[in-house]
């Protein structure tokens, strides 16, 4: 149980393209999902907390107009990287939690490469 | 925010050896998880252990919440154990995880 599906797993696109990444909780409802980013040889850093039916909460330094997050249902959150540039190339990974005092379950991540 | 420190940063073992990875955190936590990140980037959830001791096969973990540390034990290591091990915590009042910098483990045949 507690499976999180993330698509696509890999994206290669040209600079200026917008890219949408989906995160789905397959067998549970998640009122809160999280988006993390990982640069090569580094740890994971929280980008934003996504709450179903409300605006996402972004970490300091993360541009909310560039990284659009939508959490339209209890099983789906999307991250859209708008007008992506090479510096946005990174590994993006989402997680979901069934409730307080429960573990977070992670998707398999999306490797984004902007040429 | 909460600080998470992992040690050692790098570890090289011969197959069959045992090891202990440590995670120190700076504040009270309501969530602590250990992950193994494989070469493809997948985060494998090893333990959800905000306190106490758990075992799963060759792996075990102990969290002493009052002293703000957690330990991950790997026994009889195998080459497939290679990768990066992360400790991640969330402090009280916050659900998002803060990750440590990781321990990069290489198990040689």
């Amino acid at each position: 149980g507690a499976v999180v599906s993330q698509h696509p797993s890999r994206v290669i696109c040209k600079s200026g393209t917008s890219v949408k990444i989906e995160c789905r909780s397959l067998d549970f409802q998640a009122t809160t999902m999280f988006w993390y980013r990982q640069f090569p040889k580094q740890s994971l850093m929280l980008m934003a907390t996504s709450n179903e039916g409300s605006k996402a909460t972004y970490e300091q330094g993360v541009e909310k107009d560039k990284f659009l997050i939508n959490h339209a249902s209890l099983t789906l959150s999307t991250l859209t990287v708008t007008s992506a540039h090479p510096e946005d190339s990174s590994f993006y990974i989402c997680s979901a939690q069934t409730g307080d005092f429960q573990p977070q379950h992670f998707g398999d991540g999306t490797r984004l490469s902007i040429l | 925010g909460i600080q998470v420190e992992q040690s050692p940063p790098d570890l090289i073992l011969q197959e069959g050896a045992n090891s202990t990875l440590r995670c120190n955190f700076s504040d009270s936590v309501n969530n602590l998880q250990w992950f193994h990140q494989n070469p493809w980037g997948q985060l494998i959830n090893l333990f959800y252990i905000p306190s106490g001791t758990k075992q799963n096969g060759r792996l075990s973990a102990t969290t002493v919440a009052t002293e703000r540390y957690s330990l991950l034990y790997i026994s009889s290591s195998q080459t497939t154990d290679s990768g990066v091990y992360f400790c991640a915590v969330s402090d009280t009042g916050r659900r998002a995880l803060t990750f440590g910098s990781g321990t990069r483990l290489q198990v040689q045949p």
Side-chain angles (χ1 to χ4, degrees):
Chain A
V3 178
V4 175
S5 174
Q6 186 173 339
H7 291 281
S9 58
R10 186 176 183 93
V11 179
I12 302 173
C13 59
K14 294 181 179 180
S15 184
T17 306
S18 292
V19 178
K20 180 184 281 189
I21 302 169
E22 289 190 350
C23 180
R24 294 180 183 273
S25 55
L26 297 186
D27 50 3
F28 66 97
Q29 293 185 332
T31 55
T32 304
M33 291 185 174
F34 306 90
W35 288 95
Y36 297 84
R37 179 168 55 182
Q38 183 181 33
F39 291 107
K41 305 285 187 182
Q42 295 187 22
S43 187
L44 285 79
M45 298 294 291
L46 178 70
M47 297 177 66
T49 300
S50 168
N51 297 297
E52 186 266 337
S54 63
K55 292 184 178 180
T57 303
Y58 291 82
E59 294 299 291
Q60 192 172 8
V62 177
E63 300 175 57
K64 62 181 180 181
D65 294 331
K66 182 166 193 61
F67 298 99
L68 301 179
I69 292 173
N70 183 278
H71 194 157
S73 77
L74 288 172
T75 59
L76 174 64
S77 177
T78 60
L79 168 67
T80 301
V81 184
T82 61
S83 187
H85 293 287
E87 58 266 28
D88 299 321
S89 298
S90 188
F91 186 66
Y92 295 86
I93 190 166
C94 70
S95 72
Q97 195 174 24
T98 56
D100 290 336
F101 308 105
Q102 297 294 322
Q104 284 191 26
H105 303 278
F106 283 78
D108 286 344
T110 298
R111 199 163 300 279
L112 176 63
S113 299
I114 309 298
L115 305 179
Chain B
I2 194 167
Q3 304 297 312
V4 184
E5 294 183 355
Q6 289 187 243
S7 60
D10 296 280
L11 187 57
I12 300 175
L13 299 175
Q14 292 295 314
E15 203 167 22
N18 303 328
S19 62
T20 301
L21 281 58
R22 187 177 179 102
C23 172
N24 292 334
F25 42 95
S26 61
D27 208 342
S28 299
V29 298
N30 59 23
N31 184 356
L32 189 148
Q33 293 181 246
W34 282 98
F35 298 94
H36 174 210
Q37 188 169 40
N38 64 23
W40 298 271
Q42 294 173 316
L43 274 181
I44 309 302
N45 186 29
L46 300 177
F47 295 102
Y48 167 71
I49 188 166
S51 64
T53 297
K54 291 186 178 180
Q55 181 162 5
N56 184 2
R58 296 182 296 103
L59 303 182
S60 64
T62 295
T63 297
V64 184
T66 53
E67 298 187 20
R68 298 181 182 169
Y69 73 89
S70 183
L71 302 173
L72 177 68
Y73 306 96
I74 304 174
S75 64
S76 304
S77 57
Q78 302 176 357
T79 56
T80 51
D81 294 332
S82 297
V84 183
Y85 289 80
F86 287 106
C87 168
V89 306
S90 61
D91 55 24
T92 53
R94 179 174 161 89
R95 296 173 71 180
L97 290 173
T98 298
F99 282 76
S101 55
T103 292
R104 188 173 300 273
L105 174 64
Q106 183 179 346
V107 181
Q108 298 178 336

